Amino acid sequence: MAEDDRSIRRSLAAQDDIVRELLQDDVEHGVLIPLKTTLELRDDYQTGRVLVTRTPTKAANPAIMMLRSLLPDEIIKGVPHLRRCAKPSDLPAHLKAQFMNESAQSRQIHTGKSNWIYIIVGPENMLNRDEVIRALSSVEGMEGEVFVRSIPVPMVSPTSQVQAAMWSQHFWPALYRKNNPLGPHPSMITRQTDEIADDAAIWMALAHQVARQSHHKGYGQPVGACIIQRDEGRTTIVALAGDARWHHQDKVGCTGNPMAHAAMRAISIVAQKLVRAENRKTQTKQAPILEFEAFQDSPILEDERKVFDREHPNPDGYLCHGLEMYLTHEPCIMCSMAILHSRMGKVVFRHRMPLTGGLSAEDRGRGHPSLKGADGGRGLGLFWRRELNWSMVAWEWESGGCLKPLKLDLSVHA
């Protein structure tokens, strides 16, 4: 037995009895590939232009104070990833050569130990150059011709020390603040990938298993979802759900009941378990009277029932806060937003859905041979968007070859 197989068996042995009872498929390691955000997939950096000036060192503070009184805060703080002030010796070589060769005074400024300093004034498109020159000319020591030049700079922060050093050489001295303004920090991704790598294959295998069962019975598409809780190294399965878009209704067309997608059902099953726990606390016994259960959140498969009958390990939490979801297919936009609003902590899916998926950020489909000229998906990257009030880490999972792929038309909303 290979070492990978043994590590999975050890991981499986650490799970509770119900997981060992449920799991019928072979389990094999896969590869977790972190999704890129929409910002990470655009150009490595976007450049804009800023105005820079230079002053004698003794006039630097008065010039900066004057600029702060003259300019709005959004201009003053517009480029926090770049050093506000730079010595002539710290400028990139091309700027040094450009400024130095403008005049005899410039050559003197760049010769030996300089008593001058360069200052970023602010983004050019937010400034009136003439007003800036008039204001600077009033500073003692800057009388006469005021030096103001426009230079290109990156408008987003560097995401590593290496990138900051590169920008310092090519644009202007830059600062790396040990964060990633474009998405999850690399160290966090590495830590969380390591955290789930050992047993991700188990939960993915269960999602595939319930997907096949539900499809075989004619309830829905071959799509499955598994939700677990991970707490201090211990994992507990919380919900298992197959697709049920055609359950309790005739199969008309190809869409079915959208509320009964596997991801929506899994989240709703978690909610049912939380309501059940709350009812036991308050001794409430009345069941809701529904003419039609839109979410199909009652178990319809035996495997779903076994997990549903067990109590939620954390009944006092907010819905899916901090939980992990494993999906056979990339969820559609509706399901992606439901996952987001439920406060899921991590999401892993196996098959990309380039026309309908909501988590991946790539502008997908154009030129893809399997899409036959379709425009492709929107590349929303909903797992991590600045304008949304929640974000999470998401991965695509590539099987090592043991789990057979689940065929699904790319136009289907999973």
Side-chain angles (χ1 to χ4, degrees):
M1 183 182 293
E3 179 58 32
D4 281 354
D5 294 333
R6 284 196 293 270
S7 65
I8 288 185
R9 294 302 171 189
R10 285 196 296 269
S11 177
L12 179 57
Q15 309 303 322
D16 55 31
D17 294 341
I18 192 171
V19 175
R20 292 194 293 273
E21 179 185 346
L22 287 170
L23 198 61
Q24 300 169 5
D25 293 331
D26 293 331
V27 179
E28 182 179 294
H29 267 307
V31 178
L32 289 161
I33 304 171
L35 297 191
K36 295 291 187 181
T37 69
T38 53
L39 295 174
E40 288 173 321
L41 286 172
R42 69 186 187 187
D43 293 338
D44 287 343
Y45 54 84
Q46 293 180 333
T47 59
R49 301 191 75 86
V50 298
L51 295 182
V52 298
T53 187
R54 69 184 177 206
T55 74
T57 304
K58 63 181 180 181
N61 282 338
I64 291 172
M65 294 303 294
M66 183 280 301
L67 289 171
R68 284 179 175 167
S69 64
L70 175 70
L71 304 175
D73 284 346
E74 61 267 23
I75 295 180
I76 297 295
K77 299 176 181 178
V79 281
H81 56 286
L82 302 176
R83 293 191 183 277
R84 188 71 188 277
C85 301
K87 297 177 183 178
S89 59
D90 293 334
L91 294 182
H94 71 284
L95 285 184
K96 212 179 293 184
Q98 175 187 331
F99 297 159
M100 186 175 180
N101 294 322
E102 287 185 357
S103 66
Q105 182 193 22
S106 292
R107 283 192 290 275
Q108 185 178 3
I109 287 172
H110 286 266
T111 302
K113 187 176 180 180
S114 179
N115 293 321
W116 287 71
I117 195 164
Y118 286 89
I119 302 172
I120 290 181
V121 179
E124 183 178 24
N125 63 356
M126 301 174 72
L127 296 168
N128 183 303
R129 184 187 288 243
D130 292 336
E131 288 183 5
V132 170
I133 291 174
R134 280 197 300 271
L136 289 172
S137 63
S138 67
V139 177
E140 185 178 354
M142 294 189 68
E143 300 87 352
E145 185 178 355
V146 175
F147 177 95
V148 174
R149 299 291 184 272
S150 171
I151 64 169
V153 295
M155 298 308 290
V156 295
S157 301
T159 58
S160 69
Q161 191 64 56
V162 172
Q163 192 174 50
M166 182 186 73
W167 288 358
S168 297
Q169 292 177 359
H170 290 86
F171 297 101
W172 185 269
L175 298 167
Y176 173 53
R177 301 188 182 278
K178 296 184 178 180
N179 64 352
N180 178 10
L182 309 180
H185 196 280
S187 64
M188 182 181 75
I189 293 176
T190 300
R191 184 178 67 253
Q192 295 197 12
T193 301
D194 291 343
E195 185 179 50
I196 70 173
D198 283 346
D199 55 18
I202 295 172
W203 315 119
M204 193 61 70
L206 286 175
H208 276 68
Q209 183 173 302
V210 76
R212 285 194 298 270
Q213 291 172 354
S214 183
H215 183 59
H216 179 72
K217 289 182 176 292
Y219 295 154
Q221 295 284 1
V223 180
C226 178
I227 296 178
I228 72 160
Q229 176 175 294
R230 192 181 303 273
D231 185 22
E232 297 182 353
R234 178 178 175 80
T235 53
T236 306
I237 187 168
V238 180
L240 195 59
D243 187 84
R245 65 189 69 191
W246 299 312
H247 189 238
H248 285 171
Q249 70 176 58
D250 293 333
K251 184 176 178 180
V252 178
C254 61
T255 56
N257 174 13
M259 297 300 173
H261 290 184
M264 298 287 283
R265 290 191 67 231
I267 292 170
S268 192
I269 285 172
V270 173
Q272 287 275 23
K273 295 177 80 165
L274 293 175
V275 169
R276 184 174 66 196
E278 182 63 26
N279 287 345
R280 285 178 180 169
K281 286 182 182 178
T282 59
Q283 297 183 344
T284 302
K285 295 182 179 180
Q286 182 177 357
I289 301 173
L290 300 174
E291 183 177 344
F292 176 70
E293 294 182 4
F295 289 96
Q296 295 294 303
D297 50 10
S298 297
I300 58 176
L301 299 170
E302 183 60 26
D303 285 356
E304 293 178 357
R305 169 71 63 185
K306 290 175 181 176
V307 179
F308 181 78
D309 286 344
R310 303 189 73 190
E311 298 304 317
H312 192 294
N314 182 25
D316 298 321
Y318 174 81
L319 197 46
C320 296
H321 185 269
L323 302 184
E324 301 172 16
M325 176 177 273
Y326 294 81
L327 294 153
T328 57
H329 296 77
E330 180 184 1
C332 66
I333 295 171
M334 176 191 71
C335 289
S336 296
M337 288 304 297
I339 292 168
L340 200 77
H341 288 310
S342 73
R343 300 296 190 264
M344 196 73 66
K346 303 181 184 74
V347 178
V348 183
F349 65 83
R350 182 183 181 190
H351 300 291
R352 286 192 179 225
M353 297 300 291
L355 287 179
T356 63
L359 290 185
S360 297
E362 287 86 353
D363 186 8
R364 300 152 291 161
R366 291 179 176 84
H368 194 291
S370 65
L371 298 183
K372 300 178 182 179
D375 286 338
R378 297 179 180 273
L380 293 174
L382 292 174
F383 77 101
W384 193 284
R385 296 289 294 251
R386 284 179 175 173
E387 62 270 35
L388 299 177
N389 65 354
W390 185 257
S391 58
M392 53 200 171
V393 182
W395 295 262
E396 181 181 5
W397 189 82
E398 287 192 356
S399 168
C402 187
L403 271 180
K404 293 181 179 179
L406 296 169
K407 301 292 185 180
L408 194 63
D409 191 301
L410 294 177
S411 64
V412 169
H413 290 74

